[in-house]
Structure formats: C-alpha cells, structure tokens
Amino acid sequence: MSAVHRTVLPVRWSDQDLNRHVNNARVVTLIEEARLSAVAAWLGEDGVPDPARPRVVVSLSLDYLRPIDHGPELTAHVWVARLGRSSYTVAYELHQHGRAAARARTVLVQTDPATGRSVPLPEGVRTVLEGLVVPDPDPDPDPDPDPDPDAEQDSEQRAGAARASEPAPGPGSGPAPDSVTARA
C-alpha cells in the first residue's frame, strides 16, 4: 500500500460556476471524496464511516492555486501529514493539466458518540496510520506558468515601497494568511 493515495475525481458539469470553472465550495466536496477514497484504501472496514465510532472533521484549510475546469482529468494525491493521540491530519493536492490546482488539509478527530469528546484513535487505526505518515512534498515551485517579468518587477518595487512606508509590526502581528480556513 502506498502512503500517498491517488484517485481520479469526477468533475461534474454541475460543479461549474458562472466563470466556467469548478465552484470553490464544490472543491471542498471533491476533497471529501478524495479523503473517503483514501481512508477506505488505507483502513478497509475501519475507514468506513460508523456512527458507533465517529471521526469528524474539525478543521479544513484550502488553498486555491488555479481554476479547475470541467473535462480534463482531475487527480487527487492524499496522504497523512500528522498523527496525534486522537486526531490525524490528511493533506491533499488536486492536480489538473499536470499541475497542482488546489492544496488542502483536514484534521479528523476520533470522538465518543455519547459525549462528543475526543478519545484516542483505536489501536488498529493508529498502527496503520503510523505507517502512512509522510512529510509534505515540496510545493509547486512555479504557481504562475506564464509570468510577465515586467509586471513581477513592478509588483516587487511597489511592495518594497509599501513596506518602507509601513510602521514596524507590533507583538502578535504577522502576515495575513494566504489560505481560506473553515471550521466544522
């Protein structure tokens, strides 16, 4: 069994929005389909959703790198990025046209159905997941396939001028996140 699960995802005609690419909310559904495929491949019966031993998504972060189109094959690469006592993090890359189109992470937590509180992962699940944890691959080195060198230089000059005119950051301040984060 490979630590990185790959699956082809169906992009439905109805997944498109007015811009003629896959709607941002539908990408979340595609990620869910990729996760269900991976967990079933990794864990077999232990990966089938079961109300008696629920594992719930408590965090989702998603970076949209480029539009996803209807038609060309969309492939998901899915792996376990981190394993905790009662949770594990699943990482994803959706590829189309030979390039990463989206990157995501979900944190799943094993819960007690009676209390809704976290409990340790079952030993069999933990054993399988321990053998699957892989470091994140290098990010796509060139997110823009056709950069305009003049526009890039102009942008860098504007950014440098803006930084020079900004006050020094205070405690607890930092750059704005580049990803969209949702909580379930």
Side-chain angles (χ1 to χ4, degrees):
M1 167 179 19
S2 174
V4 177
H5 177 77
R6 287 177 177 79
T7 187
V8 174
L9 298 171
V11 178
R12 294 161 288 268
W13 179 258
S14 60
D15 291 342
Q16 296 180 91
D17 62 15
L18 291 175
N19 295 320
R20 302 186 73 190
H21 62 257
V22 173
N23 178 276
N24 63 310
R26 297 293 180 111
V27 175
V28 175
T29 301
L30 291 167
I31 288 166
E32 177 184 35
E33 291 172 7
R35 181 181 67 253
L36 292 173
S37 173
V39 170
W42 295 330
L43 299 175
E45 283 297 312
D46 284 331
V48 176
D50 181 355
R53 50 184 175 79
R55 275 175 230 128
V56 298
V57 174
V58 297
S59 174
L60 164 67
S61 65
L62 174 55
D63 294 320
Y64 300 92
L65 305 175
R66 60 186 40 84
I68 297 173
D69 303 316
H70 175 266
E73 186 172 273
L74 180 65
T75 305
H77 301 230
V78 186
W79 64 97
V80 178
R82 184 188 150 304
L83 181 61
R85 179 188 72 82
S86 61
S87 68
Y88 59 101
T89 302
V90 178
Y92 315 77
E93 277 193 357
L94 302 183
H95 288 249
Q96 192 177 54
H97 304 292
R99 308 219 31 212
R103 288 193 185 100
R105 291 171 101 66
T106 54
V107 177
L108 289 98
V109 174
Q110 183 76 48
T111 61
D112 178 322
T115 65
R117 303 187 108 182
S118 66
V119 295
L121 289 164
E123 196 54 42
V125 169
R126 170 174 293 293
T127 300
V128 171
L129 294 178
E130 282 174 344
L132 295 172
V133 176
V134 295
D136 288 338
D138 292 333
D140 187 355
D142 181 16
D144 184 0
D146 299 315
D148 176 357
D150 295 331
E152 189 173 312
Q153 183 180 8
D154 222 22
S155 173
E156 288 174 11
Q157 289 171 348
R158 283 193 308 271
R163 279 192 300 274
S165 67
E166 291 175 358
S173 67
D178 290 336
S179 64
V180 176
T181 301
R183 288 237 173 220

